Amino acid sequence: MLFRQLEYLVALSRERHFARAAQTCYVSQPALSEAIRKLEEELDVPLVRRGRKYEGLTPEGERIVVWAQRILADRDALKNEVGALRTGLSGRMRVGAVPTASGAVSLLTGPFCAAHPLVTVEVKADLQSEDILRQLQNFEIDAGVTYLHKGLSEGFQAVALYEERYVLLTTAADGLARPATATWAEAARLPLCLLTEAMQGRRVLDEVFAEVGVRPSPRVETDSVAALFAHVRTGRWASIVPRTWLHVFGVPHGMRAVPLTEPARTVPVGLVTTTREPGSVMARALTDIARRTDIAAALERLPGEPAPQA
């Protein structure tokens, strides 16, 4: 059994298409198909349901993919561990983030890259909370930045980073934006652009609206926080965005951002990794950075604001 065969099987499971799997592995389709066929012969079980086109993996194939992902992750962890002992940490670190938290990821990747100059960081910034946990389990990412649920299973560990708060984003001409704060009930009456209902960030907002007995009717929905800002800029919409994104954009010209009250809701966001040992050396290094970096304090300062005096 060769690592290459396991890589091909994992790629086929991910891509669900022989040609695309071969392309991601930089081999020809016949070479990938033959390698998987030989793996089936060696294991003496069918791994792929074959027809006129790819029809999925067999139950045995689904189970073998889990083992393949684990074996390949252990191989990569071993190589990274040995490389770190020899020349310092090097290679590629993969971080997943929910869209609402992606603006804060740079506060981790910046000091991480400074501490480990031989590492390249890949950030997947459009994942849902469920995607992050699944990809952690499947060894597709090393760490995730997401909402911290009370029921986080024992297979994961978390480092709290900050408390997400929300602001009402409107145009400067909107009268509701002039007071120092706005209520959730007032926000519900505005023409809103919000995140889609499939996203955890939107579900948090809906829970707060339900708590105060109102139900918004957004005319525009998106999976991008940047798109929320773009729609508000047109002057036709208002939105509710995480305050952390003001750290990225500031309050754009022509807009106002006011805290939402009644209730003043916060949601914890943190860095999540698996508890599996020995685990990813990349994840351990990023966790160390997270524990030594005051993300919450950094997010309190908006662009253009001076740092507090020591």
Side-chain angles (χ1 to χ4, degrees):
M1 185 184 302
L2 302 174
F3 284 129
R4 182 176 65 251
Q5 293 171 298
L6 301 180
E7 289 171 346
Y8 294 171
L9 182 63
V10 170
L12 181 61
S13 174
R14 181 180 64 248
E15 300 296 332
R16 307 187 65 80
H17 191 278
F18 276 99
R20 289 198 298 268
Q23 185 177 19
T24 62
C25 294
Y26 303 102
V27 297
S28 67
Q29 181 175 333
L32 181 137
S33 298
E34 179 63 13
I36 292 178
R37 186 188 65 78
K38 289 182 177 179
L39 182 61
E40 289 177 312
E41 289 181 355
E42 183 173 350
L43 296 173
D44 195 26
V45 292
L47 302 177
V48 181
R49 294 199 299 265
R50 290 179 173 85
R52 298 182 63 182
K53 60 181 181 179
Y54 176 76
E55 296 180 358
L57 299 180
T58 64
E60 297 88 348
E62 295 285 358
R63 185 59 184 164
I64 297 302
V65 163
V66 175
W67 278 101
Q69 291 170 325
R70 183 178 301 174
I71 291 168
L72 294 173
D74 283 342
R75 176 203 61 181
D76 294 341
L78 173 61
K79 292 169 63 176
N80 288 334
E81 191 88 40
V82 172
L85 293 172
R86 187 176 63 249
T87 60
L89 199 60
S90 63
R92 191 176 192 85
M93 182 182 69
R94 304 155 302 169
V95 181
V98 292
T100 53
S102 59
V105 173
S106 63
L107 300 177
L108 286 176
T109 57
F112 178 88
C113 289
H116 306 287
L118 300 180
V119 176
T120 299
V121 178
E122 175 187 357
V123 179
K124 300 180 180 181
D126 60 348
L127 300 179
Q128 296 182 25
S129 296
E130 297 83 357
D131 295 331
I132 289 176
L133 299 183
R134 176 182 54 79
Q135 292 194 21
L136 282 170
Q137 288 179 318
N138 293 341
F139 310 101
E140 296 173 34
I141 57 176
D142 298 293
V145 178
T146 184
Y147 299 99
L148 297 184
H149 305 289
K150 293 180 180 179
L152 194 66
S153 75
E154 61 183 18
F156 301 99
Q157 57 190 357
V159 176
L161 297 177
Y162 63 92
E163 292 284 330
E164 183 172 275
R165 292 180 284 151
Y166 300 94
V167 296
L168 176 65
L169 189 67
T170 68
T171 59
D174 194 316
L176 271 180
R178 298 189 183 281
T181 62
T183 69
W184 289 83
E186 290 171 334
R189 294 194 291 269
L190 296 175
L192 289 174
C193 172
L194 297 176
L195 296 174
T196 63
E197 292 182 344
M199 302 181 69
Q200 179 67 23
R202 169 63 183 280
R203 294 197 290 269
V204 171
L205 302 186
D206 287 345
E207 288 173 4
V208 181
F209 281 126
E211 184 178 326
V212 297
V214 296
R215 180 171 183 151
S217 300
R219 293 286 306 280
V220 179
E221 296 181 325
T222 176
D223 62 356
S224 164
V225 178
L228 297 179
F229 277 80
H231 278 79
V232 174
R233 181 177 289 279
T234 67
R236 298 190 60 182
W237 316 103
S239 188
I240 296 173
V241 300
R243 189 183 183 279
T244 53
W245 275 85
L246 300 182
H247 179 82
V248 179
F249 293 135
V251 180
H253 178 71
M255 298 186 197
R256 290 180 181 271
V258 295
L260 281 161
T261 61
E262 300 180 27
R265 179 59 57 86
T266 65
V267 181
V269 174
L271 179 73
V272 178
T273 58
T274 64
T275 56
R276 187 165 178 264
E277 292 294 342
S280 164
V281 65
M282 298 288 186
R284 293 202 304 270
L286 186 61
T287 298
D288 181 62
I289 293 292
R291 287 174 173 153
R292 293 190 286 110
T293 305
D294 194 343
I295 301 295
L299 289 172
E300 284 299 311
R301 299 194 303 273
L302 298 183
E305 289 184 351
Q309 298 295 321

